[in-house]
Amino acid sequence: MDNQTMVTNLINTARKAFTQASDLKALDALRVSLLGKKGELTGLLRGMGQLSPEERPAFGQLINQAREAIEQMLADREGQLKAQEQAMRLQAEAIDVTLPTDLPRLGAPHPNTKVLDAVVDCFVGLGFEVVEGPEIELDRYNFELLNIPKNHPARDAQDTFYIDDNIVLRTHTSPVQARVMLSQKAPIRIICPGRVYRADEVDATHSPVFHQIEGLVIDKDVTMADLRGTLGAFARQLYGDSITTRFRPSFFPFTEPSTEVDLTCIVCKGAGCRVCKGTGWIEVLGGGMVNPKVLKACGIDPTVYSGFAFGVGLERITMLRYGISDMRWLFEGDERFLRQFS
Ligand code: DAH
């Protein structure tokens, strides 16, 4: 076999071997076997020693051409294999963002929170400010300054959690009224949402821990009509335009006169049903004109200023809003219940 044929054969075998090299590792092994120190091309070159001096240049050129051809094939195949491997890796690592996940379900605002947000929106829209007070409260704020005398039944240990003689878990949000009157100047326009405590047994309408929202307005010439208008706006915003208020005389030590406020029954819209016991009205909150004794005790001159106040149970208005028949649902944290509000 002449040199030319040997080299041509080598190139042809190499071409075939390159197409068969299926990964970069096989390709590298092939490179070593063709171009390496002990490779085939080097082997051919060694044969040059047996050639005559005249034959050598042509043979050398032949070998160089073969080396160039093989190196080109190597580079081409390497490019192909790298592209292939990258394509495979991209495919293997691809993330299908449309697949369903095992992420935990997201929570949602508690029904109490939703209603409180609506109440806050309503009163902030009317120019009220939101204020908070402590849940562990001094007897002075919870009772004394609100004109609740020492012998008042609300002070009984059966109704109130006492920490000691002077400290209680607040039984209502009304003490925030006293705190604000003592620390701010009139005019005052606030609501105070928060947790309150009573030594009650748990049942469908009672819980030892619940929430109230207190309202207080102090200014010149504030009248019962302002209370009526404010609570009317509140009722309409929360339950719709067909809902109105009805005031019934009542008694609270910190308001004079005091009123119990009913709303048009949210279920029957006033026609009479089981929820409103046929009356067309449901009792939802207490309020009245701030007792001048309370104004005076809190440093506000009752000959210049007057005010109204009210207190409403958050659980009560939430239950009415969503037709929840048992208060315990609001405290038990059962997901089957809570999920219905997400
Ligand atoms: N603090 C009262 C209660 O817990 C509710 C209340 C009634 C608050 C009349 C007031 C009010 O501000 O004027 O039952």
Side-chain angles (χ1 to χ4, degrees):
M1 211 187 315
D2 66 7
N3 291 332
Q4 177 75 53
T5 318
M6 260 174 12
V7 172
T8 309
N9 283 350
L10 178 63
I11 289 175
N12 286 340
T13 337
R15 182 170 289 119
K16 211 161 148 201
F18 274 120
T19 54
Q20 279 164 1
S22 58
D23 57 30
L24 290 171
K25 219 173 129 197
L27 192 67
D28 194 56
L30 192 58
R31 180 186 59 79
V32 173
S33 80
L34 287 167
L35 305 173
K37 267 191 205 144
K38 294 177 184 159
E40 292 184 47
L41 204 65
T42 322
L44 282 181
L45 202 57
R46 260 188 220 112
M48 194 144 88
Q50 285 142 30
L51 297 178
S52 66
E54 306 81 72
E55 284 172 323
R56 282 183 195 172
F59 183 70
Q61 210 180 4
L62 206 57
I63 295 291
N64 277 342
Q65 279 166 359
R67 179 183 297 281
E68 272 167 30
I70 289 173
E71 277 171 352
Q72 188 59 53
M73 284 188 256
L74 180 72
D76 289 350
R77 186 65 182 148
E78 190 175 42
Q80 278 174 4
L81 287 175
K82 276 191 174 157
Q84 243 174 47
E85 276 185 18
Q86 190 182 32
M88 269 159 63
R89 210 171 43 239
L90 284 178
Q91 200 178 20
E93 290 172 4
I95 295 167
D96 182 352
V97 292
T98 66
L99 282 177
T101 67
D102 292 333
L103 286 178
R105 269 191 310 280
L106 280 182
H110 190 276
N112 271 351
T113 308
K114 290 179 125 172
V115 170
L116 178 58
D117 285 350
V119 173
V120 167
D121 272 358
C122 170
F123 282 101
V124 166
L126 294 171
F128 284 61
E129 197 188 327
V130 179
V131 176
E132 290 188 351
E135 290 173 24
I136 301 171
E137 185 56 285
L138 291 170
D139 176 284
R140 180 170 127 81
Y141 293 102
N142 197 79
F143 295 128
E144 205 88 23
L145 288 168
L146 297 174
N147 193 35
I148 302 173
K150 285 268 188 258
N151 58 356
H152 194 280
R155 291 199 167 204
D156 197 291
Q158 285 190 343
D159 294 307
T160 303
F161 289 111
Y162 279 89
I163 289 176
D164 64 28
D165 283 350
N166 291 316
I167 302 174
V168 299
L169 297 185
R170 67 178 178 191
T171 57
H172 49 178
T173 43
S174 305
V176 188
Q177 285 189 33
R179 288 182 170 274
V180 171
M181 284 190 268
L182 284 166
S183 64
Q184 290 184 21
K185 286 197 160 34
I188 291 169
R189 219 174 261 114
I190 53 152
I191 55 164
C192 338
R195 212 173 277 141
V196 300
Y197 302 83
R198 301 232 180 127
D200 280 332
E201 292 289 339
V202 173
D203 66 23
T205 52
H206 292 86
S207 162
V209 185
F210 60 104
H211 300 82
Q212 287 188 338
I213 304 157
E214 193 78 14
L216 174 70
V217 169
I218 308 279
D219 206 341
K220 288 175 181 155
D221 303 323
V222 176
T223 72
M224 202 82 163
D226 298 308
L227 176 59
R228 190 97 208 252
T230 304
L231 293 180
F234 157 77
R236 284 191 301 276
Q237 176 129 350
L238 211 62
Y239 298 109
D241 285 342
S242 59
I243 304 299
T244 57
T245 59
R246 177 175 81 167
F247 282 34
R248 282 180 292 111
S250 184
F251 171 78
F252 297 103
F254 32 93
T255 42
E256 181 58 36
S258 300
T259 176
E260 211 71 64
V261 182
D262 299 340
L263 301 188
T264 318
C265 176
I266 285 129
V267 178
C268 64
K269 303 280 187 274
C273 69
R274 268 195 323 175
V275 172
C276 60
K277 302 195 182 78
T279 64
W281 297 96
I282 358 181
E283 184 187 321
V284 277
L285 57 96
M289 300 308 293
V290 180
N291 192 322
K293 284 188 188 170
V294 172
L295 291 176
K296 214 183 278 174
C298 294
I300 288 173
D301 184 350
T303 63
V304 180
Y305 290 104
S306 57
F308 67 72
F310 60 88
V312 52
L314 177 59
E315 281 74 14
R316 175 106 176 103
I317 57 175
T318 301
M319 287 165 76
L320 290 171
R321 176 84 172 71
Y322 294 114
I324 298 164
S325 56
D326 193 318
M327 201 199 242
R328 285 168 287 202
W329 287 115
L330 292 172
F331 294 109
E332 282 172 356
D334 189 322
E335 266 197 81
R336 291 167 300 179
F337 169 75
L338 293 174
R339 223 178 285 142
Q340 298 173 53
F341 301 90
S342 63

